[in-house]
Amino acid sequence: MDVDLVVPMKHPRDGKSRLRGAVEPAHHPGLVLALAKDTLAAVVSSAQVRRVLLVAADPDAVKTLSELGVEIVEEPAEKTLNAAFRHGAALLKADDPDTIVGALQADLPALRAGDLTAALAEATGRRAFVADRQGTGTTLLLAAAGEPLDPRFGPGSARSHAESGAIPLRQALPTLRSDVDTPDDLAHVRALGVGKHTSAYRAELFI
């Protein structure tokens, strides 16, 4: 079943605060943008993804991402992650009330379209989620067909989503579970193999 995805993004200079120090400070915004570019490049190449709506704190700061085929809208007045997901989901459902809406993090630079497609196939239109590799966070949340997204991102989101009735997807999906919050996470995804935009920053990475 085709899915419409919402992806939130802070201004690149403000995003990924725990990743500061992985590169020289002047390169931090570029690295954040590179993580998103590689994520979105994989997303739009999945045959089961119909639309991608990027909800941005500053659309002008991320306008180059539109070249990947994603739509960019400004975040709502409530400046929280879950509000951004709800806002994007509402816009998508206004166009198609029966669509399956998903919430995806923008920091999955090793993502392979095959892992995303496999997750969507396993969900089969049910409310479902993919936990991060630590098992506590959430990288992907899918609403049931025609149902509200009801995002519960934040500390312990995997448990919160399970308690809300979302089914944890069980396939390995290593590249879909590997989000980047810390320098250790960045080292992990580099070992998996990141996309071309993130790999361009290898020369500046602190080893």
Side-chain angles (χ1 to χ4, degrees), residues 42-133:
V43 170
V44 299
S45 64
S46 171
Q48 286 191 263
V49 175
R50 184 174 64 168
R51 293 177 65 186
V52 181
L53 191 63
L54 184 72
V55 180
D58 185 342
D60 285 341
V62 297
K63 62 184 179 181
T64 59
L65 297 176
S66 64
E67 298 170 1
L68 298 170
V70 305
E71 305 164 55
I72 302 176
V73 298
E74 189 170 0
E75 69 181 6
E78 182 184 341
K79 312 294 185 185
T80 67
L81 181 60
N82 287 320
F85 280 129
R86 289 192 297 267
H87 179 62
L91 292 174
L92 292 169
K93 283 186 167 292
D95 290 338
D96 182 358
D98 296 324
T99 187
I100 297 175
V101 174
L104 183 74
Q105 301 283 21
D107 57 353
L108 298 160
L111 181 62
R112 301 292 184 268
D115 275 357
L116 178 58
T117 300
L120 301 179
E122 183 183 349
T124 59
R126 300 171 294 173
R127 180 169 173 78
F129 73 98
V130 175
D132 61 15
R133 66 189 181 95

Side-chain angles (χ1 to χ4, degrees), residues 11-33:
H11 193 293
R13 68 168 179 259
D14 301 324
K16 302 283 106 189
S17 59
R18 288 193 288 159
L19 196 56
R20 294 191 186 281
V23 293
E24 295 284 356
H27 293 299
H28 181 83
L31 176 59
V32 173
L33 197 58

Side-chain angles (χ1 to χ4, degrees), residues 133-196:
R133 66 189 181 95
Q134 291 84 7
T136 57
T138 303
T139 60
L140 173 69
L141 171 68
L142 297 167
E147 295 297 320
L149 183 60
D150 188 21
R152 303 186 180 196
F153 288 82
S157 65
R159 179 176 179 178
S160 295
H161 286 133
E163 290 174 346
S164 75
I167 299 165
L169 299 183
R170 301 298 187 184
Q171 296 181 76
L173 309 172
T175 70
L176 183 53
R177 298 186 188 275
S178 298
D179 56 342
V180 175
D181 289 317
T182 67
D184 284 346
D185 293 335
L186 187 56
H188 174 78
V189 296
R190 287 178 65 202
L192 284 177
V194 294
K196 65 180 182 181

